[in-house]
Amino acid sequence: MKFKLLINPKKDEFVQAQVHQENDFTKELKDFVLTNGNSNQLLVYDDKDAITLWLDDIALITIIDDKTYAICNNQKQYRIKKRIYQLVNELPKHFWRINKSSIANRYQISRFAETQMAGINIIMKNGLTDYVSRRCFAKIRKELDDL
């Protein structure tokens, strides 16, 4: 593999990679380039268009019809081409796993509410509601106690 870096302040920036086949590395490279290496952004898809979304704008990441979606504060949904288990390791610590299929932005949580069946629901500032599993709630409660 060869690498070439050309610096010319008068030209538009672009990155081009010529590869034999797409693999995990090329996908990570694409994500890195499209987010400008900014770990405060996530590459998402609005229909077919790839866009970057600020993590602060995401209220909830969840599975809908076997696909991963980021739901924003304005309740707009964007498709993410990664699985929940991959995102858990990539997102900052203020994103909490709340059940097997959802991750919530701690800063977008309005409150926790007890259900009639002795469970716990999470209510987001934008009005979204999702359940919190007992195992995840125990971890969240421990983290809140440590603050």
Side-chain angles (χ1 to χ4, degrees), residues 111-127:
R111 62 189 168 92
F112 293 95
E114 197 171 327
T115 66
Q116 293 177 348
M117 304 298 286
I120 301 288
N121 278 348
I122 197 168
I123 300 168
M124 308 303 287
K125 290 179 181 175
N126 66 359

Side-chain angles (χ1 to χ4, degrees), residues 13 19 29 51 71 74 95 107 119:
E13 292 182 336
V19 296
L29 179 62
I51 61 171
I71 303 174
N74 60 5
F95 280 85
Y107 300 126

